[in-house]
Amino acid sequence: MSRTLYDKLVDAHKVCDLPDGDMLIYVDFHIMNEYTSPQAFSGLDAKGLDVWRTEAHLAVVDHVNATRSNEPHDKASKLLIDNLESNCTKHDIAFYGLGDPRQGIEHVVVPEQGLVIPGMLIACGDSHTTTYGAYGALGFGIGTSEVEHVLATQTLRYKRMKTMRVLIDGETAPGVTAKDIIMKVVQVVGAGGANGFAVEFAGSAVRHLDMAGRMTVCNMAVELGARAALIAADEVTEAALQGHSHSGRFAFYGESWHSDPEAVFDNEVAIAGGDIEPLVTWGTSPDQSVPITAHVPVASDYVSPKAKAALARSLNYMGLTEGQSAQSIAIDTAFIGSCTNSRIEDLREAAKILEGRKVAVGVEAIVVPGSAMTRIKAEAEGLRAIFEAAGFEWRPEAGCSMCLAMNDDIAMDGERVASSTNRNFEGRQGRGARTHLMSPAMVAAASVAGHLADVRNFK
Amino acid sequence: MKDQQMKKMIKGIAAPLPLANVDTDVIMPKRFLITITREGLADGTFADLRFDNAGGPRPDFILNKAPWTQANILVVGDNFGCGSSREHAVWGMRQLGIDACIGTSFAGIFYDNARKNGLALPIVSPETRDLLLQAAGNGAEITIDLSGRTITAGDIRAPFEMDAATQTALIRGRDDTLDSLEHAGAIRDYEAGLKSQMRVSVIK
């Protein structure tokens, strides 16, 4: 019988059915960070339980650490970082902490270390674990109680989800990136449109993406509600598996990690690649976006009173007026970083725009490479010099930083940020901070213009 | 340990929170996440909606107004709990005294986190949700019958959806980790069937 890639992955990892309708699925590899794991370890201790299989876990410091130096910036963050290290020492778990040459944002570190390969099942206490679908692996975010469950049993209780295929065929125009593709999908499907679904991205526009682009797409699939995102493994994937410290150590046979040609999905969405433009968000939900050439919506664009009220609320928070052109939105800050867009490929794209240009007067511009290895590579390629010549602050340490502002990189009340990150929620980058999501190249363009700007005008 | 009591009925004042896409950053702002315990999160819950910049209560926010200061149920907008995986959002809601959120759809990780902490998330049709929003706005008491999968509020009587495993977990208040370890034999059997190259070992 024909099966989807998602069903193949679930079938391959099913341990047993449970009487209440759930199943237990096996977790091949589990990643932890310092902020969603402490209570999982204390739960183990309270129940007197050991870690089931210590070598199948990796802990990385990334969410709360400062990126100006490898010293914690305050006592509270130090407590979380030290707590993770001592839990890992106690339970004999691999720990990539501050100062370790392998440290960085977990979802940047894992592929860089060769720790994701097609056919794996990966869990992590972070919603953006959907990133690993780019490799034909099943990755998904879990809560802290589930982190405890994985530590103690190497499994999770699981319900099979429905399947959705998002087909994006046709060549995308110059200036359109993987970030624009996924922002378009979020706009079309809606912020909760894929709740309860595992989403497979297919079509020529997806196949033509490199692995960094595929990771950007799968990473932000959670913003449409998808608990899992997948892209079939192909020759691009195979090529990306070589040359890392864990390369050749693992293999997952037994299946071809793509959907069978006749596989049936519960839902299908089609988007024409040629219709996608560079997008920016104007509101406080990732699906509130418009092409950079367009304007902020007006109340008459919506029918229901609820939608009109939501528009008014978002515009009020964002300090924008109905119908304002996207390019008239002036920014205070430009931020390039996050698990969505801080890989070497992202930095190269932004540097292309910045080369020979200057950040506009009054704009604070920051770039935080996704990992220590990414930073070193970028410096060797001369990217740091380009960013610094343009007026960007080049951060020496890696982390999530201003994507969620759990460290000391916090946007002020009313501060407007052009951001290569994944969420424009109220208060996400700081209480009262206003976030506009876009591709790294578009952030670079905005930093130079001093307002949201069309990257296609920067030849 | 989890709450072990058998909880088949949830009854109380419900607060209407009709906003769509209420995310976990709004439910639990990040400044409350710098902690290694599950405790002390009640004040952080909906902090930016409940309190102004000076820390004073915002009088126009529903949970700051009688009778909803006593609410133990929320009637919420679509896609509640989207965003980050932070279980702190659910811990905080429980510590604030919230036993259930009634809505049309919930984000997946939030839904699973809720189940682990005895927070019921009955799923109803948009029509039922809108009726319940109205009833909640009038200060009506809502009753959620977990066993019968039914919600009543005045004249309103409507079914809700909840998968069987979550329903059982909420009623029994069991500990999933300890429960699953009863299947340790099946886990070992599965592992015995793995080829050596399928056993991930992370370089320290």
Side-chain angles (χ1 to χ4, degrees):
Chain A
M1 194 184 141
S2 293
R3 289 182 300 161
T4 63
L5 171 55
Y6 171 71
D7 284 319
K8 289 181 186 181
L9 286 161
V10 174
D11 292 345
H13 290 88
K14 180 168 147 180
V15 172
C16 61
D17 285 314
L18 297 173
D20 61 11
D22 281 354
M23 63 175 103
L24 281 185
I25 50 165
Y26 195 76
V27 178
D28 296 309
F29 174 46
H30 173 230
I31 312 149
M32 284 176 284
N33 60 58
E34 71 281 17
Y35 110 85
T36 61
S37 68
Q39 301 86 350
F41 282 108
S42 48
L44 282 189
D45 289 346
K47 292 167 198 172
L49 299 174
D50 288 327
V51 175
W52 181 274
R53 196 151 82 73
T54 59
E55 69 275 20
H57 309 267
L58 168 66
V60 184
V61 172
D62 59 1
H63 276 71
V64 310
N65 59 296
T67 54
R68 289 184 178 86
S69 90
N70 64 11
E71 288 298 318
H73 61 284
D74 64 10
K75 274 189 195 158
S77 62
K78 184 171 171 23
L79 173 69
L80 285 182
I81 294 164
D82 291 348
N83 180 266
L84 181 61
E85 181 166 18
S86 67
N87 281 327
C88 289
T89 304
K90 179 176 170 187
H91 293 286
D92 198 25
I93 289 171
F95 172 76
Y96 298 176
L98 301 182
D100 188 302
R102 301 163 296 184
Q103 183 268 341
I105 303 173
E106 49 199 347
H107 307 312
V108 176
V109 168
V110 164
E112 214 167 55
Q113 295 297 322
L115 276 162
V116 49
I117 62 169
M120 274 176 114
L121 193 148
I122 302 180
C124 172
D126 185 277
S127 60
H128 290 108
T129 311
T130 51
T131 306
Y132 305 114
Y135 284 80
L138 181 56
F140 55 90
I142 56 177
T144 300
S145 295
E146 291 180 309
V147 171
E148 176 195 297
H149 195 284
V150 179
L151 285 168
T153 70
Q154 206 55 43
T155 67
L156 284 166
R157 289 180 169 248
Y158 195 75
K159 267 182 289 295
R160 195 182 291 263
M161 290 180 283
K162 289 177 286 184
T163 55
M164 179 189 294
R165 179 166 59 180
V166 177
L167 198 60
I168 310 161
D169 268 319
E171 203 174 330
T172 53
V176 173
T177 66
K179 181 66 162 282
D180 302 301
I181 291 175
I182 187 60
M183 283 176 64
K184 180 68 180 179
V185 176
V186 178
Q187 185 194 70
V188 169
V189 177
N195 275 339
F197 285 90
V199 174
E200 180 170 341
F201 296 98
S204 59
V206 176
R207 299 248 68 84
H208 287 149
L209 292 173
D210 62 12
M211 289 312 293
R214 293 179 188 189
M215 282 192 268
T216 299
V217 167
C218 289
N219 173 284
M220 273 189 73
V222 70
E223 313 316 336
L224 49 133
R227 191 76 185 271
L230 291 166
I231 294 174
D234 61 9
E235 64 287 349
V236 177
T237 325
E238 281 302 316
L241 300 179
Q242 312 306 321
H244 311 290
S245 62
H246 291 81
S247 293
R249 288 168 65 96
F250 322 118
F252 285 76
Y253 315 111
E255 296 284 356
S256 48
W257 301 117
H258 57 73
S259 292
D260 295 329
E262 305 301 317
V264 177
F265 293 80
D266 297 307
N267 198 354
E268 297 259 10
V269 174
I271 293 171
D275 289 351
I276 304 174
E277 290 187 70
L279 294 171
V280 292
T281 60
W282 53 267
T284 55
S285 176
D287 56 356
Q288 292 177 316
S289 63
V290 290
I292 183 62
T293 50
H295 56 75
V296 171
V298 295
S300 58
D301 293 341
Y302 300 93
V303 178
S304 81
K306 242 185 230 168
K308 288 178 198 284
L311 170 72
R313 184 188 167 88
S314 289
L315 292 183
N316 180 52
Y317 180 87
M318 293 298 292
L320 299 173
T321 51
E322 280 185 44
Q324 184 175 351
S325 81
Q327 295 186 66
S328 71
I329 300 172
I331 62 161
D332 304 301
T333 305
F335 177 74
I336 295 175
S338 85
C339 61
T340 310
N341 283 124
S342 66
R343 296 184 176 82
I344 189 74
E345 293 85 350
D346 300 312
L347 303 183
R348 286 175 191 147
E349 288 301 310
K352 269 186 215 161
I353 304 300
L354 293 172
E355 190 155 23
R357 295 193 170 100
K358 292 280 183 198
V359 170
V361 174
V363 172
E364 187 186 5
I366 303 165
V367 53
V368 182
S371 68
M373 282 176 63
T374 302
R375 175 181 57 78
I376 288 166
K377 194 168 191 179
E379 288 175 349
E381 288 183 14
L383 302 182
R384 175 183 184 164
I386 295 171
F387 275 100
E388 290 188 334
F392 264 76
E393 188 187 340
W394 180 265
R395 289 293 171 82
E397 301 298 328
C400 305
S401 191
M402 200 187 262
C403 174
L404 82 169
M406 276 188 77
N407 68 352
D408 53 344
D409 290 316
I410 302 168
M412 297 294 110
D413 198 355
E415 187 174 332
R416 191 179 298 283
V417 188
S419 191
S420 76
T421 56
N422 42 57
R423 289 180 177 144
N424 52 340
F425 299 155
E426 289 183 18
R428 172 81 176 177
Q429 295 190 294
R431 191 172 189 173
R434 294 160 173 165
T435 305
H436 296 276
L437 303 178
M438 62 199 75
S439 72
M442 287 279 284
V443 174
S447 75
V448 170
H451 53 79
L452 305 192
D454 192 336
V455 70
R456 293 168 294 189
N457 297 332
F458 288 67
K459 302 289 182 199
Chain B
M1 294 299 288
K2 297 280 166 65
D3 179 4
Q4 295 293 335
Q5 80 189 71
M6 303 279 281
K7 186 177 59 181
K8 293 181 180 164
M9 304 288 262
I10 298 169
K11 189 187 271 194
I13 299 284
L17 208 65
L19 286 175
N21 306 320
V22 169
D23 58 76
T24 53
D25 277 79
V26 165
I27 301 173
M28 186 60 67
K30 80 270 301 161
R31 59 187 180 279
F32 302 97
L33 302 177
I34 314 280
T35 174
I36 59 169
T37 74
R38 296 173 180 233
E39 312 307 323
L41 292 166
D43 284 350
T45 312
F46 299 117
D48 293 348
L49 299 177
R50 282 162 68 207
F51 306 110
D52 60 25
N53 286 358
R58 296 183 190 273
D60 53 337
F61 183 60
I62 189 80
L63 293 176
N64 290 335
K65 292 192 280 193
W68 301 285
T69 48
Q70 303 302 314
N72 65 331
I73 298 172
L74 303 178
V75 184
V76 298
D78 301 340
N79 194 32
F80 188 85
C82 59
S84 149
S85 67
R86 59 187 72 162
E87 197 165 321
H88 311 64
V90 173
W91 297 332
M93 287 175 68
R94 297 294 285 134
Q95 289 164 28
L96 197 61
I98 306 298
D99 297 319
C101 284
I102 304 168
T104 57
S105 59
F106 296 92
I109 306 176
F110 181 82
Y111 188 86
D112 289 347
N113 287 342
R115 155 186 165 165
K116 304 274 184 185
N117 293 280
L119 176 68
L121 303 179
I123 295 174
V124 296
S125 68
E127 295 72 28
T128 299
R129 190 267 315 275
D130 290 347
L131 287 173
L132 291 172
L133 274 175
Q134 214 167 26
N138 295 331
E141 196 177 73
I142 288 182
T143 302
I144 301 165
D145 175 356
L146 282 179
S147 319
R149 291 200 184 103
T150 315
I151 296 175
T152 47
D155 295 340
I156 306 166
R157 185 178 165 81
F160 66 81
E161 281 177 45
M162 181 178 283
D163 69 272
T166 300
Q167 183 190 32
T168 309
L170 288 170
I171 292 173
R172 295 221 316 246
R174 68 188 187 189
D175 185 297
D176 280 349
T177 304
L178 296 176
D179 254 20
S180 297
L181 280 171
E182 290 173 15
H183 301 276
I187 302 170
R188 284 197 196 91
D189 288 348
Y190 178 89
E191 287 182 326
L194 290 177
K195 296 182 179 73
S196 64
Q197 280 171 298
M198 296 165 88
R199 290 174 68 88
V200 171
S201 171
V202 181
I203 299 169
K204 282 208 186 135

